[in-house]
Every structure is written in structure tokens, then in C-alpha cells.
Amino acid sequence: MIRSFDKPRNALPATVLAFLLGCAAAAQASSTSDVDELALLQILRAEHVAQANTGFVFLMAHDGEIVLADHAGLAVVEHQLPMERDARFPTMSITKAFIGTALAVAADRGQVDLDEPIATYLPGYPGDGADRITLRMLAAHTSGIPHTRHPDRRPLYAQHFEDARSSIGVYASRPLVFEPGTDYAYSSSGYNLIAAILETVNDLPIQRIVGRDVLQPLGLTDTAHGNVERPFARLVRNYSYIDLWSYQPVEALLQVPTWDFSYNHGGGNMVSSADDLLAFGQALLDETSWSEELRQRWTSRAAPDVSRWSLGWILGEDSAGRRTVSITGATPGVQAALYVYPDHDLVFVALANCWGRDSADADLVIGAPQRIVDAYLTEAGSAP
């Protein structure tokens, strides 16, 4: 049986509300048949309260069925709007998994060759390395194209770009940080360039490509590229107990401005719900959703000698050594994680609309959920 906690409907501050809900959950544990499920969810609730987090949604599926579901706190603090399970969150770098999937589809169709250089698809690309940087390098973060850090993006947050091709100039003028293919350096800019190449070969904006090739086949109706000019229904607001520019702790809760991330269509400008992300992760495990070749592209390292990335996903292990295929996202006020455990047919999604106190290690969306997975698999007799 799946138990979701009651949705908060009063005007209590989020932190007090979370504490009371957590106590209620513990009280229910002695009088229901869901003692283990409630105890597992308390792992996440405890971290939520400790961080003074404003709100979160958590889902976990095993063998294709949702086994744990929880949400708490506030979606909009200043209006005391409670968090709902179907809330939509900015997902930031989880965008890369959608772009990587669209790239895999294009490769399967023969529209692109992952080992061809940028110049093949963007003959006029003005950046360094156009004749040496391949799509595979872009996907694996081994291109040498530098990442634009948050403080350096400040002027970009006030600009709007309709598609990925129109933002090429944002990063094409910067020198490479190493010779392409020789090292690893995380770079959203590389995924923006992948999006621009997909636009060129399809003659469509990246929003329509991802919609056609990824979202529609999976029925992900709550997922789309963000657009500050046309806000989405059920979209949370974001908050922080960490200064937005210095990253130093602050005492009072800050509301994060509504920044425009359209300069980053390929690397971090999509919004989604927990249920949509869970379905997206489940597609990696579902042999009927995609071809075996495409699924292999997702779960095989693009540049195994220097990078843990496949096309849009990070291949690694959790703290207990279990194999994972994952993608996370963060910017001030956003914590997002999607983890797939292919050897255990398990997927979890954790989304929060706040950088809480002492949240730099992302324990709310990575560490605590991994502890839940560990306890769940142990109790289910599926560990390690």
C-alpha cells in the first residue's frame, strides 16, 4: 500500500508545519499496517525539518510500481500555498537527460553522427575547436568548452532567447579550457551546442524537438522548456537560506528572483513534475519504450576513459556501491534529483524548492533518498 501524507492546508510557517506533519507520521506508524513505509519517509522528513526547507516532493518506484510517495511544506511561501504532488519545479541540469535522449533519437535516425565535429552541422560556428569537437565530446563534457558559472551569468538572466541557436554567441567567444577530448570539465554550454545542432538538422526549435521525440512518446504532459514570458500553472517559487551570489549562509529566508534561463535551453531550462520525472526514469528500464540500441546509448559511457557521462546521464554508484544512472539539477533555490537503479528496477525522484540551511551537500534530494533506498532494499531482501 502507498501512503501519501495529508496535504498541508493552514497558514503555519513551513518549518513548523513540516515538524508537526513529521510527528503525525510517527504517531500513525504505531496504528497502521504501513509502519515500515512511514519510517522510511521519516528519513526524508527529518532532513526537510533540519534544513528548514520550504517544500519538497518525493516519489520512489520499484518493479514498475510506486512504493513511496510524500510531499510537504509550501509551494509559494508568501501566499501560504501548500505543496502538492503535481507541483512543477525548475529542474535545471536534469534538462541534459532530455537533450541527451533527443540526441540519441537523432543518432538512431541517422540525422547525426556522434563522432562528427561541430563544423559538420554548424558550418558557421564561430567558436574555437569547431573542427575537433564532436557531439560525443559535448555529451561527455570533454569538449573543453567552458561552463558559465552562476555569478557570471547575471546579465544573461535578464535576456530572452527563443531557441538554442540564438544563444550560441553566449559561449562561442570563450577560449577552450583544454584540448578537446583530453580531459573532463562539466559544461552546460556543451549541451546548449547539442541543442543548437539538433535544431539545425531538424529545422525546428529545441522545444518542439524534445516534445516530439521524448515528451510525447512517454506522455510527459507536465514537462516543457521554461518560459518566463508565459509562466506555467502549478510552478513553485524558489527560496534560499544561502546568499544567491556569495553562497554564504543567511538568517532570513530569501525569495529567488524569476530568472530567465533561456540562454540555457540545452543545459538547464526545463520544468517538470515528480510523476513525469519518475516516468522518464522508468523508461530506461522499460524495454518497450525505446529501442535496445537507444537504451544502450543512455547507459554506456560516451567517453569511458575520461568521463562518467552517457548521453545526458551520469553513470556511477550510490554510497552502498549499487549501480546508478542519474541526473541532478541545482541553482539557488532548486534541488532536483532523478536516480535509476537498473540492477534493482528502482527509480526515485526528489524535488525541493529551497536551498535550506546546511544544504550544500544536497542531502535532501540525494543522501536521504539513498538512505531510504538502502533501508527499503534491505527490508525487501534485495540488498545489496
Side-chain angles (χ1 to χ4, degrees):
M1 178 180 177
I2 302 167
R3 176 176 296 276
S4 294
F5 292 92
D6 292 338
K7 300 169 184 176
R9 296 291 184 186
N10 58 34
L12 287 172
T15 52
V16 176
L17 183 59
F19 176 76
L20 293 177
L21 287 172
C23 291
Q28 290 179 43
S30 62
S31 60
T32 74
S33 61
D34 298 321
V35 173
D36 291 341
E37 293 174 10
L38 293 174
L40 291 175
L41 291 176
Q42 278 299 104
I43 296 172
L44 193 68
R45 287 286 179 125
E47 190 62 36
H48 169 63
V49 173
Q51 290 188 12
N53 182 63
T54 54
F56 75 88
V57 180
F58 172 74
L59 295 177
M60 190 173 86
H62 186 218
D63 293 333
E65 298 291 335
I66 296 178
V67 293
L68 293 173
D70 195 12
H71 58 274
L74 299 172
V76 181
V77 171
E78 54 271 31
H79 299 304
Q80 294 292 291
L81 295 182
M83 185 65 72
E84 304 284 3
R85 173 169 156 173
D86 65 353
R88 299 166 88 178
F89 291 74
T91 63
M92 304 315 297
S93 284
I94 289 179
T95 298
K96 293 178 176 66
F98 289 101
I99 299 299
T101 303
L103 176 61
V105 171
D108 274 6
R109 288 178 179 157
Q111 290 180 300
V112 297
D113 182 330
L114 299 180
D115 295 308
E116 283 291 314
I118 294 171
T120 301
Y121 305 105
L122 295 175
Y125 176 68
D128 189 16
D131 60 338
R132 309 188 302 283
I133 297 172
T134 66
L135 276 77
R136 187 182 302 278
M137 292 176 189
L138 296 174
H141 300 274
T142 62
S143 69
I145 295 175
H147 180 67
T148 304
R149 296 173 59 254
H150 167 61
D152 300 328
R153 298 194 295 257
R154 200 166 189 163
L156 298 174
Y157 294 144
Q159 301 180 49
H160 188 71
F161 299 91
E162 289 297 327
D163 55 26
R165 282 177 289 187
S166 62
S167 65
I168 285 178
V170 169
Y171 45 89
S173 61
R174 302 179 64 191
L176 300 179
V177 295
F178 53 74
E179 180 62 24
T182 64
D183 205 348
Y184 168 87
Y186 179 82
S187 176
S188 287
S189 304
Y191 273 77
N192 280 310
L193 198 48
I194 290 172
I197 290 170
L198 291 175
E199 288 181 342
T200 300
V201 300
N202 283 278
D203 195 25
L204 289 171
I206 193 62
Q207 298 93 322
R208 291 182 59 187
I209 296 167
V210 172
R212 179 194 68 192
D213 294 343
V214 186
L215 306 182
Q216 292 175 17
L218 295 179
L220 306 183
T221 57
D222 276 341
T223 307
H225 274 81
N227 189 338
V228 296
E229 296 182 347
R230 292 186 292 276
F232 293 106
R234 294 181 280 113
L235 185 64
V236 302
R237 291 185 185 172
N238 298 97
Y239 306 90
S240 181
Y241 280 106
I242 298 172
D243 184 82
L244 307 185
W245 304 106
S246 70
Y247 290 170
Q248 296 302 306
V250 295
E251 288 301 315
L253 183 66
L254 303 173
Q255 181 179 327
V256 179
T258 303
W259 289 318
D260 192 329
F261 289 102
S262 61
Y263 77 92
N264 199 19
H265 279 311
N269 189 37
M270 294 186 73
V271 302
S272 189
S273 66
D275 279 279
D276 266 18
L277 291 179
L278 195 75
F280 184 41
Q282 195 69 39
L284 270 72
L285 304 172
D286 183 1
E287 296 179 358
T288 65
S289 294
W290 307 101
S291 70
E292 180 59 27
E293 183 178 1
L294 189 146
R295 291 173 66 242
Q296 283 295 321
R297 293 186 191 276
W298 278 341
T299 56
S300 301
R301 293 186 178 186
D305 293 338
V306 290
S307 172
R308 295 188 301 146
W309 282 73
S310 65
L311 304 188
W313 297 85
I314 303 169
L315 310 182
E317 296 180 343
D318 72 358
S319 56
R322 299 183 184 93
R323 188 163 65 100
T324 60
V325 181
S326 66
I327 187 69
T328 61
T331 200
V334 175
Q335 297 187 72
L338 169 56
Y339 270 73
V340 179
Y341 290 72
D343 299 327
H344 298 274
D345 197 5
L346 187 147
V347 183
F348 79 72
V349 175
L351 300 168
N353 63 335
C354 183
W355 275 10
R357 301 184 190 279
D358 298 319
S359 62
D361 59 358
D363 198 50
L364 182 67
V365 297
I366 300 176
Q370 287 188 354
R371 293 194 294 276
I372 290 174
V373 169
D374 185 61
Y376 174 84
L377 291 177
T378 299
E379 291 183 12
S382 301

